[in-house]
């Protein structure tokens, strides 16, 4: 299985990182080895002094698909969840500045936290789902799927033009503003 991640999907997070608003979604992948195993602690890797949390809505693919039309995209998932895309921001900045791929800063072991899956039928409106991340009992990220630049269905349509989606693949749909450094 693969983890497909969307970058720059919330306007406020784009301005916080001083990125340009893209005309298409930014996509990157994490390998399955990036998944933090259940009940295991997350360790800050030696190669970074600035690991950021990015809380994201996750979508689990349940059918094989390619070139999926956004109006049929809802048939390709029935579970959603929350996760964290841990990012070595200092390393990512260096790689970006050199025009190099981001993988070392985004796809390292343990960098993908995948939370509990919930049936999408338990929500009335997937396009207006509030979610938040608490860090030591303080809310640090708080947003709603209504603030996404591209909806879940649009993301599935876009991504499936490039990558065949397979059962069990997970899409990280991008983070809202409020990312910050985590401490040991
Ligand atoms: Zn992210």
């Amino acid at each position: 299985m693969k983890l497909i991640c969307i970058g720059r999907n919330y306007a406020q997070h784009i301005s916080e990182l001083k990125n340009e608003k893209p005309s298409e979604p930014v996509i990157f992948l994490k390998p399955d080895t990036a998944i933090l195993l259940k009940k295991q602690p997350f360790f800050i890797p030696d190669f970074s002094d600035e690991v950021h949390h990015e809380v994201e809505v996750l979508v689990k693919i349940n059918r094989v698909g390619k070139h999926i039309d956004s109006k049929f995209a809802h048939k390709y998932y029935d579970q959603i969840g929350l996760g964290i895309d841990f990012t070595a921001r200092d390393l990512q900045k260096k790689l970006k500045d050199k025009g190099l791929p981001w993988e070392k800063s985004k796809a390292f072991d343990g960098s993908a936290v995948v939370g509990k899956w919930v049936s999408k039928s338990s929500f009335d409106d997937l396009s207006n789902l509030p979610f938040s991340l608490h860090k030591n009992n303080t809310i640090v990220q708080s947003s709603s799927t209504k603030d996404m630049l591209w909806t879940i269905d649009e993301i599935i349509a876009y991504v499936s033009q490039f990558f065949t989606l397979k059962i069990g693949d997970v899409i990280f749909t991008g983070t809202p503003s409020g990312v910050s450094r985590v401490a040991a």
Side-chain angles (χ1 to χ4, degrees), residues 11-50:
Q12 283 176 335
H13 176 59
I14 293 170
S15 49
E16 133 184 287
L17 293 188
K18 300 188 172 63
N19 284 320
E20 279 173 39
K21 187 177 163 181
S23 52
E24 293 174 294
V26 173
I27 304 180
F28 57 93
L29 301 178
K30 295 186 191 239
D32 56 3
T33 45
I35 296 173
L36 187 66
L37 297 174
K38 292 280 177 247
K39 303 206 166 111
Q40 291 300 305
F42 172 73
F43 291 104
I44 295 173
D46 298 339
F47 52 78
S48 178
D49 290 319
E50 194 192 3

Side-chain angles (χ1 to χ4, degrees), residues 6 28 54 56 85 87 106 174-175:
I6 305 302
F28 57 93
E54 295 190 351
E56 311 201 2
D85 164 21
T87 303
K106 281 283 197 183
T175 196

Side-chain angles (χ1 to χ4, degrees), residues 20-138:
E20 279 173 39
K21 187 177 163 181
S23 52
E24 293 174 294
V26 173
I27 304 180
F28 57 93
L29 301 178
K30 295 186 191 239
D32 56 3
T33 45
I35 296 173
L36 187 66
L37 297 174
K38 292 280 177 247
K39 303 206 166 111
Q40 291 300 305
F42 172 73
F43 291 104
I44 295 173
D46 298 339
F47 52 78
S48 178
D49 290 319
E50 194 192 3
V51 171
H52 280 190
H53 55 76
E54 295 190 351
V55 68
E56 311 201 2
V57 173
L58 310 186
V59 178
K60 194 191 222 175
I61 297 298
N62 66 358
R63 291 171 64 172
V64 176
K66 194 178 162 79
H67 296 296
I68 299 162
D69 191 297
S70 64
K71 62 175 184 288
F72 301 119
H74 65 276
K75 296 173 188 258
Y76 289 79
Y77 63 101
D78 49 29
Q79 289 184 303
I80 64 166
L82 277 180
I84 299 176
D85 164 21
F86 276 121
T87 303
R89 193 74 69 203
D90 46 356
L91 181 55
Q92 187 195 26
K93 268 182 208 141
K94 279 185 207 156
L95 295 168
K96 269 188 188 171
D97 289 347
K98 291 182 184 162
L100 294 171
W102 300 351
E103 270 82 354
K104 288 192 291 184
S105 67
K106 281 283 197 183
F108 57 87
D109 289 358
S111 63
V113 179
V114 176
K116 209 175 77 186
W117 294 107
V118 185
S119 168
K120 71 178 183 188
S121 61
S122 48
F123 302 104
D124 294 334
D125 184 5
L126 288 184
S127 63
N128 190 7
L129 277 183
F131 63 95
S132 59
L133 177 71
H134 296 235
K135 181 172 152 188
N136 301 336
N137 303 318
T138 303

